[in-house]
Amino acid sequence: HGLVESDVIVVNSQAGEALQFAPVEAQIVATGEQSGRLDSAFRDAAAEIQRARRAVEKLLRSIAYPLFLLHFALFVPIPALMGWRGGTWFFVWTIFVLFWAAVAAAVTFHVSRRNHAAYGRAVARLPVAGTVARCAAVSRAMRGASLLHDAGVDLPSSLRAAADASGNGWVALDLRTAATSVEGGRPATESLAVVGAFGAEARSLIETGERSGNLDEAFARISQVEEDRYDVAARRLAVGLAGILMGCA
């Protein structure tokens, strides 16, 4: 038995345990339950969860080395210059606490604002880091839309679930606008033209996919292209941060 509520689907197992999924995985499981193919639905949902986890791990690996350099730049030269006198340790620990407090504040601010369209648009326009954010959001969204549409979910519902999965308020707002436009009877190509995060290649793929009746394949192709761009941008970000920090050190 399954229930879809807000952003989570709860599937009750025979043992009475509840399994919770994010929006795209929730729709996949709900569709699988309706079609009697829960086995396939769970495999698709698990693959999507693993894909999202790998994307996060890639980003963490990219910034791990720059963070190490930042630690070195902040906490090694100061004690050496001060000669490890009595108040040196207190000074170093104060910097350490302030540094991680600033990191925690930045992360908290990002999490609290990421679903706001204006903030998402501003982040996406940052050099290099903005490309990472935009590519990650579009890749997640289009992967979800592809899986759902291929599973038989109607296009407006697929786009709304993809919007929730994007993690970027700007992309999400545009996708919801596109979903409403499709419900109003407009073609997918025209409706998805409002998505500002799409480039010319994505729009061309959508147009081709709509003409051929293979929108799910077009969405999957867009997701793969953006994921490849994400990998390149994440490496550029790591190299750029490392170069800046080594220069400062």
Side-chain angles (χ1 to χ4, degrees), residues 77-152:
I78 294 174
L81 291 173
M82 296 180 68
W84 298 98
R85 291 190 292 271
T88 302
W89 280 113
F90 175 78
F91 185 67
V92 170
W93 278 109
T94 300
I95 294 177
F96 181 84
V97 170
L98 289 176
F99 169 73
W100 283 111
V103 170
V107 171
T108 301
F109 178 78
H110 172 72
V111 171
S112 67
R113 301 293 297 178
R114 66 180 180 176
N115 290 325
H116 292 72
Y119 177 76
R121 186 182 298 107
V123 169
R125 289 177 176 174
L126 293 172
V128 187
T131 302
V132 172
R134 185 193 64 77
C135 291
V138 173
S139 180
R140 282 194 301 266
M142 290 297 94
R143 175 68 178 173
S146 173
L147 287 171
L148 292 173
H149 200 47
D150 183 49

